[in-house]
Structure formats: structure tokens, C-alpha cells
Amino acid sequence: MLDGLQLACAPGEVYAVLGENGAGKSTLLRVLCGMLEPERGTVLIQGHELTGGGVAARRHLGYVPDGTESLPDLSLREFVALVRSLKQLPVDAAAELELASRRERLGLEQAWHQRLATLSFGQRKRACLLAALLGDPWLLILDEPSNGLDPSGVAKVLELIAERQARDQATLLATNDLAFTRQLAAALGSALHCQRLRDGQLLLESHRITER
């Protein structure tokens, strides 16, 4: 599926991997977030090796999958607590204030005590985004970020990515939604760095996607 790929994200970079369904985009992201072990090679995040499950690397990483079917019996509150524990993040007044602010911003206040299985697909997608942003990670990985979101939800995602860029944090996403990539370029106010995944290789696009 993947063949000797090399990929690096610079501070403040928003990097889009384009490709049709089945091209291997989700497989690539699962390797980069540690869900799949590569047969060869290493994943480094902020100088920390992710391969082997290093906690130091995971603290700098947030991941939002395309699907949202896992852990349906947990409430949103329990899901967030689990992610915090796995990443060994501190739970203090500042962290609680930041979580409450993001929860309100993503429209998840009423869903805080609901089981994930009872939420709509769009709500579960936003719940995964809330968990991924815990600890304000340096690298945010998004698989098909526009999938299942209404225009309001898409606008929130675009706003968050633009804010991360302004703070010199990196965002890596995979999508086959060209309209979304154009919206993202407009939100960033600049061209969007993108490569196409084909036959296990990342190929440079002939041009950078802009808002036009």
C-alpha cells in the first residue's frame, strides 16, 4: 500500500494528502499516528520516536479518524478522560478551562454526559476533534475532516486549522474533497501545500491549491 514514503511537516504548515478512495490515505495516517506499525522506517514527532508507542511523541499528536465507531459505550466525558490518561496529560484548572471553552466552541455542551453511540455522526466527529486537541498538540492529523459535518461544523474546523497555523503548529490532513481544500486555502489566506498519494507514492501536485 505504501512504498518508501518520506514526509515532513514544518512548523505552521498545513499539509494535504489528496487521493481517491482506496489510495491508501487512511493507512498512511494510521502509520503516522501510531495505530499501525510500519514494516520499515520511523515516525518522529518533535524529535520523539512514535514507533513502539512512545508517550513523549503522543503528547505532541492529535488524531481524528474518518470513522467514529470505536468505544460506543463510553460517554463523551469518559472518552475525553481516557485520552487524557493515555497521553498522561495534567488535569488542572487551566486544562479544565481550556476543555470547557473548546467543548462550547464545538457545540458539545449538551452531549457531555451522553454515550458516543447516541450521538449523530457529525457530533461524534466533533467529539473526536475535541479529544484530539487535548494538550494542544503540535501536530494534528485529520482523516477526511469535512466528512459528516454540516457547513457550521466545517467552518469550525477551518477556523481551528487557521489558528493553529498562526501559532506555528502543524496540521496534516487527508481528503478527496477538493471543495474543502479550496475552502481551507481561503481560510489560510494562502496556497495550500498538497501532494497526491498514488501507487504507494506521494506525488507533488502540478500547482498548489489556492482559494480561487
Side-chain angles (χ1 to χ4, degrees):
M1 181 65 74
L2 305 175
D3 183 15
L5 295 182
Q6 293 188 8
L7 187 155
C9 288
E13 184 169 33
V14 181
Y15 193 117
V17 177
L18 309 178
E20 303 302 322
N21 291 334
K25 302 187 303 298
S26 292
T27 299
L28 172 61
L29 297 194
R30 287 171 187 152
V31 169
L32 296 179
C33 75
M35 289 181 66
L36 294 177
E37 291 281 343
E39 294 179 0
R40 298 185 304 276
T42 303
V43 178
L44 295 174
I45 302 177
Q46 289 290 81
H48 301 287
E49 186 170 342
L50 179 65
T51 308
V55 173
R58 292 182 187 279
R59 287 195 186 120
H60 298 288
L61 170 67
Y63 169 62
V64 180
D66 182 20
T68 59
E69 295 80 15
S70 58
L71 308 174
D73 292 327
L74 293 185
S75 69
L76 175 55
R77 180 184 62 80
E78 291 167 337
F79 177 51
V80 166
L82 175 62
V83 175
R84 270 178 163 173
S85 177
L86 291 173
K87 296 177 75 171
Q88 298 182 15
L89 296 173
V91 180
D92 52 28
E96 286 297 307
L97 186 62
E98 181 180 36
L99 174 61
S101 175
R102 285 209 172 113
R103 192 170 67 223
E104 180 179 7
R105 186 175 183 183
L106 291 172
L108 293 170
E109 289 280 23
Q110 300 302 315
W112 187 233
H113 295 287
Q114 288 184 239
R115 290 192 305 120
L116 296 179
T118 68
L119 303 181
S120 70
F121 183 87
Q123 286 176 313
R124 294 198 302 271
K125 192 88 170 185
R126 283 182 275 131
C128 289
L129 180 58
L130 177 66
L133 291 170
L134 290 170
D136 200 21
W138 183 83
L139 175 63
L140 179 63
I141 297 178
L142 305 171
D143 194 356
E144 298 291 353
S146 61
N147 189 21
L149 294 181
D150 59 19
S152 174
V154 170
K156 287 183 173 68
V157 171
L158 294 172
E159 189 177 74
L160 283 166
I161 294 174
E163 289 173 0
R164 289 178 52 79
Q165 182 194 48
R167 296 198 302 269
D168 280 339
Q169 294 170 317
T171 303
L172 171 66
L173 62 99
T175 184
N176 60 10
D177 185 346
L178 189 56
F180 174 78
T181 61
R182 287 174 175 151
Q183 286 179 282
L184 179 55
L188 299 176
S190 63
L192 176 63
H193 183 86
C194 57
Q195 288 189 281
R196 185 167 295 277
L197 184 60
R198 182 183 298 142
D199 298 328
Q201 294 286 335
L202 283 171
L203 309 174
L204 281 173
E205 288 287 274
S206 59
H207 62 280
R208 302 177 87 193
I209 293 177
T210 68
E211 63 270 32
R212 292 187 293 273

